[in-house]
Amino acid sequence: GKSLVVVGTTSSRTLESLYWLGMKRLRGLPNSDNVKELELGQFEWIPLSVADPSVSPVSALNALIDGMADHETISGVTSLMITPNSYKFKVIEHLITNFHAPDSTLMLLVSAFVGKQSSITRIYEDAQRKGYRFLSYGDACIFSRPGIELPAEK
């Protein structure tokens, strides 16, 4: 039901990784039961996305916490590489982030999120013309996944 607004590319990558780790668990793949040593390979999401593209984010994330007590934690590592023209976001609907360096993996993630390289180029050029600051101590912006609008104010 509710829109998910995520702050930062690291949070985005973490939530997307958790989705795929939940998918691994739903598929009963090796080493997916130990929530203390979870691991996701760089392009491991590709075969998982083909297996069943209809699994909701809630179902995948619930698969990770099923049977856990409230005080228990999940830990692991991810090498998930989110790039334009190949990755389709499953969890993230809206992203608040700063303006990243054009040659960074962070920019790849934002480009993949926005959907078209030409869109992100146009957005960044417009930001430069308007005097927005870039990098870690720069200005922030909010992006919505294509086809998803921000919730209306009440």
Side-chain angles (χ1 to χ4, degrees):
K2 295 185 180 184
S3 266
L4 182 60
V5 179
V6 177
V7 179
T9 53
T10 300
S11 300
S12 300
R13 189 167 166 255
T14 299
L15 288 168
E16 291 292 317
S17 294
L18 288 170
Y19 172 85
W20 295 113
L21 290 165
M23 288 292 291
K24 283 177 70 170
R25 195 167 206 195
L26 286 170
R27 301 288 158 259
L29 296 177
N31 304 321
S32 63
D33 283 340
N34 185 352
V35 294
K36 300 294 182 196
E37 295 180 17
L38 295 168
E39 186 172 348
L40 184 67
Q42 186 173 12
F43 296 107
E44 197 172 2
W45 63 270
I46 295 171
L48 291 169
S49 68
V50 173
D52 188 355
S54 66
V55 175
S56 74
V58 171
S59 297
L61 296 172
N62 277 335
L64 281 178
I65 61 171
D66 188 42
M68 291 179 66
D70 288 345
H71 69 279
E72 290 182 285
T73 59
I74 295 171
S75 65
V77 296
T78 184
S79 296
L80 178 63
M81 183 66 147
I82 298 176
T83 59
N85 303 321
S86 63
Y87 189 82
K88 301 225 182 317
F89 283 81
K90 295 295 190 177
V91 179
I92 309 307
E93 296 175 335
H94 309 284
L95 170 62
I96 297 174
T97 189
N98 58 333
F99 291 98
H100 301 288
D103 58 349
S104 67
T105 57
L106 304 174
M107 184 62 154
L108 288 175
L109 185 147
V110 174
S111 295
F113 188 78
V114 170
K116 293 187 185 219
Q117 183 60 36
S118 60
S119 297
I120 199 68
T121 301
R122 191 181 71 253
I123 291 165
Y124 271 56
E125 287 171 353
D126 191 46
Q128 284 180 319
R129 274 193 304 280
K130 292 179 178 177
Y132 286 94
R133 294 170 305 207
F134 283 49
L135 306 176
S136 297
Y137 296 104
D139 292 301
C141 55
I142 185 165
F143 295 111
S144 294
R145 199 164 73 200
I148 299 179
E149 295 182 16
L150 281 170
E153 289 186 38
K154 292 185 179 186

